């Protein structure tokens, strides 16, 4: 089993009663439709490191998953995290970018999979079925465990800036 490599962008905004908020997406498809905590993700996707730069892949995948462009601003490197994903391991590289996007503007990309399993029928599902802003504590519960370290890294960065 080979490791997969992914890159993503964590958009954040400051202000208001919630303090810092991050924009994350609820994973689409039938496996996550009835799950909430642990079923959200930083907009990200796989790429081939030999063929594409990680930051370019993060920008491309953000657009593919949300149908929106990464807001203009500084890309803050949050580093790599390696975690279990499916039947293997994934190394994820993430940048944070400050911005304010409207979740109502999200037009998610889609993927196809056999559904129901072993039926021989292909069905199309959104990559994410919704995106929302969450404060860091709530986002910690919503994100899959492997992506949670990025919230601490963002918080550490902002507290030192």
């Amino acid at each position: 089993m080979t490791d997969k490599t992914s890159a993503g962008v964590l958009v954040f905004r400051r202000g208001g009663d919630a303090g810092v908020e991050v924009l994350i997406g609820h994973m689409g498809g039938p496996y996550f439709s009835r799950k909430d905590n642990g079923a959200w993700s930083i907009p990200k996707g796989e790429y081939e490191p030999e063929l594409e730069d990680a930051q370019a892949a993060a920008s491309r995948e953000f657009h593919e998953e949300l149908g929106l462009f990464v807001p203009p601003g500084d890309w803050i490197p949050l580093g790599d995290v390696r975690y279990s994903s499916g039947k293997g391991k994934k190394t994820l590289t993430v940048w944070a970018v400050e911005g304010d996007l409207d979740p109502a503007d999200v037009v998610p990309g889609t993927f196809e999979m056999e559904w129901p399993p072993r039926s021989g029928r292909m069905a199309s599902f959104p990559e994410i079925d919704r995106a929302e802003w969450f404060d860091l504590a709530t986002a910690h519960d919503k994100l899959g465990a492997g992506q949670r370290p990025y919230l601490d890294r963002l918080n550490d960065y902002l507290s030192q800036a």
Side-chain angles (χ1 to χ4, degrees), residues 38-156:
W40 293 72
S41 178
I42 295 168
K44 61 165 179 41
E46 293 178 12
Y47 74 102
E48 297 291 332
E50 307 81 26
L51 303 175
E52 187 176 18
D53 172 73
Q55 191 169 342
S59 180
R60 174 182 51 77
E61 288 292 338
F62 186 92
H63 185 256
E64 285 181 12
E65 290 212 348
L66 300 179
L68 303 172
F69 292 101
V70 176
D74 294 332
W75 286 54
I76 303 161
L78 297 180
D80 298 340
V81 171
R82 188 167 184 261
Y83 62 95
S84 295
S85 177
K87 296 178 182 175
K89 296 282 187 182
K90 178 179 285 189
T91 299
L92 174 60
T93 305
V94 169
W95 287 265
V97 175
E98 188 167 6
D100 193 5
L101 300 173
D102 186 347
D105 293 337
V106 169
V107 180
T110 59
F111 69 95
E112 286 196 356
M113 66 180 282
E114 183 180 19
W115 192 258
R118 295 178 293 286
S119 67
R121 287 180 279 177
M122 297 301 286
S124 183
F125 299 97
E127 298 247 1
I128 64 156
D129 54 28
R130 64 190 179 278
E132 292 183 36
W133 289 100
F134 293 106
D135 62 77
L136 295 178
T138 304
H140 185 272
D141 294 335
K142 302 281 185 191
L143 280 177
Q147 297 178 27
R148 292 176 186 159
Y150 291 113
L151 300 174
D152 295 331
R153 292 177 186 184
L154 174 62
N155 192 46
D156 290 347

